Amino acid sequence: MKLNKIFLSLSMLCVSQVQAEYRFNEKEPGFFPSLQFSINQEDNVYRTQNNTESDSYYRLAPLLDWTMLFGKHGINVVYKGDYGRFNDLSDQDYDDHSLLSDLELDLSEKLDLTFLGKYQQGHDRSGDPGSSLLIQTVPDEWTEKALHGKLTYGRRIANAQLGLALNAKEKRYTNNGRESRDRDNIQATLNFNVRLAPKTWLVSELRHQTTEFIRPQFISEDSSETNVFVGAEWEATAKTSGKVLLGYTEKSPDSSFFKDYSGFGMEANASWKPKEFSTVSISASRTPKEGGDDVLSFYIADKLSIRWQHELTKLLAFQLDALSENDKYQSYNREEKYTRFGAKVSYQWKRTVETGVRADHLERDSTIINNDY
């Protein structure tokens, strides 16, 4: 028997002026804080077939966004918090944080240099894609550090643009004896864009990534991954914008114990704005992901999501969204299908205060016995 998960949320969002996660790209200096508070009810907290505990919890999510410009350069610092407190199942309480700093240097008419650093403290929810088959009463907690640097030659308005990026990331688990999933990633990306029209580009990307597991429990799960993508990017063309990359993906574990993957890969995001007050967003991808258990190795995740946001009036709006994900493990007979439907109604009863209610329905079908919910 399959058990469904229902999530209800009553939230309030308080902002100073406008919530500004994307203001750095628009070069608007200033300080933009926001605070979201929600009361939630969930009928299957552990997301299991049998132990269907229900509980309510409070969630507080502050955001502090600061941007400063100096000459042609800019710096952006963003703090995001996510705090959850359950009424009865207090072992599920969490304190998640992320701190991001982004420095953009305009070195010349054709040369830009970007540095980004990020620190994040988070947790894995039971039943999420890629999560462990072991059900923990206390969620797996981890910290993640990342550094990113990118050198770009050419402007977006030029006929061609060349970019080289380097990324380094380390992830460390801090509880539940999950140290065997600690890993380091290093990725290099080379991209070349050619302008086809004033707001349309032919894009190509070559990526290579290595993954090293620091403390493997049984067999080394180190691997390398290569992606070759070509596609298009466009902005506000016939009321649409987006980026689509299609190509070839190869992931090769170092150990012959695990199977390789080579085949089709993709990343796509697009939005359509048929009316000024209505937006449809679509996202699709086919990418390898690391699993949450030892010896199971990686899986291929096929995702498709769609979201419709519509303003009924200047104050009242609603949102409908759906997600479908299919995860197939390469070296183990495990396949899972996730489905989510959501709906939200929001009302901006003051210029800086918004309230709303949201409901979500989640399901998982799994080839593993008693792993549905």
Side-chain angles (χ1 to χ4, degrees):
M1 181 179 66
K2 182 191 301 179
L3 296 173
N4 303 324
K5 171 186 171 292
I6 299 177
F7 169 84
L8 294 172
S9 172
L10 176 64
S11 64
M12 176 178 292
L13 175 66
C14 302
V15 300
S16 173
Q17 298 181 24
V18 181
Q19 190 169 1
E21 294 185 49
Y22 303 101
R23 285 184 174 270
F24 189 45
N25 293 331
E26 300 170 7
K27 300 299 183 184
E28 294 186 21
F31 178 63
F32 306 96
S34 69
L35 180 65
Q36 184 177 21
F37 173 75
S38 60
I39 304 172
N40 310 273
Q41 175 66 37
E42 195 165 339
D43 76 342
N44 191 351
V45 175
Y46 297 116
R47 299 181 182 180
T48 60
Q49 187 170 19
N50 299 317
N51 185 20
T52 56
E53 295 279 353
S54 63
D55 199 3
S56 59
Y57 67 97
Y58 304 92
R59 179 172 175 261
L60 190 67
L63 183 145
L64 306 175
D65 189 322
W66 174 74
T67 297
M68 184 183 74
L69 304 180
F70 48 101
K72 297 183 295 181
H73 317 299
I75 184 170
N76 177 231
V77 180
V78 178
Y79 168 79
K80 293 182 180 180
D82 189 358
Y83 307 91
R85 293 293 181 269
F86 286 75
N87 283 334
D88 298 322
L89 304 175
S90 59
D91 285 343
Q92 293 292 304
D93 293 351
Y94 60 87
D95 297 310
D96 294 349
H97 316 270
S98 70
L99 181 63
L100 180 147
S101 180
D102 188 3
L103 174 65
E104 288 192 3
L105 301 175
D106 189 340
L107 301 179
S108 70
E109 291 183 358
K110 295 184 178 181
L111 201 61
D112 288 339
L113 184 60
T114 300
F115 293 105
L116 186 147
K118 184 178 181 180
Y119 173 82
Q120 186 174 1
Q121 176 181 311
H123 72 287
D124 294 336
R125 281 292 308 267
S126 297
D128 275 354
S131 60
S132 173
L133 292 174
L134 301 174
I135 304 301
Q136 306 283 2
T137 56
V138 178
D140 294 336
E141 298 174 352
W142 46 263
T143 62
E144 189 172 276
K145 302 173 185 176
L147 290 174
H148 167 87
K150 183 175 183 180
L151 183 66
T152 304
Y153 180 79
R155 301 293 186 182
R156 292 280 287 176
I157 60 175
N159 292 328
Q161 188 180 55
L162 179 67
L164 174 64
L166 296 175
N167 302 272
K169 182 172 64 176
E170 68 169 40
K171 189 170 187 177
R172 300 290 185 266
Y173 282 84
T174 59
N175 70 335
N176 292 338
R178 303 287 290 154
E179 293 81 5
S180 59
R181 304 314 295 166
D182 293 354
R183 54 189 178 266
D184 293 340
N185 297 85
I186 297 178
Q187 183 184 72
T189 302
L190 180 67
N191 67 279
F192 181 65
N193 303 336
V194 177
R195 191 174 66 154
L196 303 178
K199 293 186 177 182
T200 304
W201 297 266
L202 174 67
V203 298
S204 59
E205 287 191 12
L206 172 63
R207 306 175 193 162
H208 183 74
Q209 173 180 281
T210 60
T211 301
E212 179 186 2
F213 283 81
I214 307 303
R215 288 177 281 271
Q217 187 170 0
F218 300 107
I219 302 172
S220 172
E221 296 185 43
D222 298 352
S223 65
S224 61
E225 180 182 335
T226 301
N227 301 276
V228 182
F229 288 138
V230 294
E233 183 175 1
W234 66 98
E235 295 178 0
T237 304
K239 298 183 179 181
T240 70
S241 61
K243 183 177 182 179
V244 176
L245 291 173
L246 307 175
Y248 175 81
T249 295
E250 179 180 273
K251 188 172 177 68
S252 302
D254 292 352
S255 173
S256 59
F257 182 82
F258 301 110
K259 294 181 180 179
D260 296 350
Y261 171 80
S262 59
F264 177 67
M266 71 169 297
E267 298 175 4
N269 293 280
S271 64
W272 173 49
K273 204 173 181 68
K275 300 291 184 181
E276 187 65 28
F277 47 81
S278 189
T279 304
V280 178
S281 302
I282 299 176
S283 176
S285 64
R286 179 177 175 83
T287 55
K289 300 288 186 180
E290 299 295 343
D293 287 302
D294 298 319
V295 189
L296 299 191
S297 189
F298 67 95
Y299 61 93
I300 303 300
D302 292 302
K303 297 181 183 180
L304 175 63
S305 65
I306 184 169
R307 180 180 64 194
W308 177 31
Q309 297 170 293
H310 185 80
E311 296 179 1
L312 298 171
T313 69
K314 291 184 177 181
L315 303 178
L316 184 64
F318 71 82
Q319 174 180 308
L320 300 175
D321 51 76
L323 178 142
S324 175
E325 177 172 347
N326 186 82
D327 297 341
K328 186 173 183 179
Y329 286 74
Q330 293 301 108
S331 302
Y332 188 72
N333 186 24
R334 178 183 177 185
E335 185 171 357
E336 293 168 341
K337 297 180 180 179
Y338 296 84
T339 306
R340 188 194 73 202
F341 300 99
K344 177 183 177 181
V345 177
S346 60
Y347 181 77
Q348 190 171 355
W349 54 282
K350 287 189 177 182
R351 185 175 64 89
T352 58
V353 180
E354 177 185 293
T355 60
V357 61
R358 178 178 175 88
D360 286 272
H361 174 83
L362 285 78
E363 289 186 11
R364 177 170 71 181
D365 287 317
S366 177
T367 57
I368 304 299
I369 297 176
N370 295 327
N371 209 36
D372 295 349
Y373 66 75

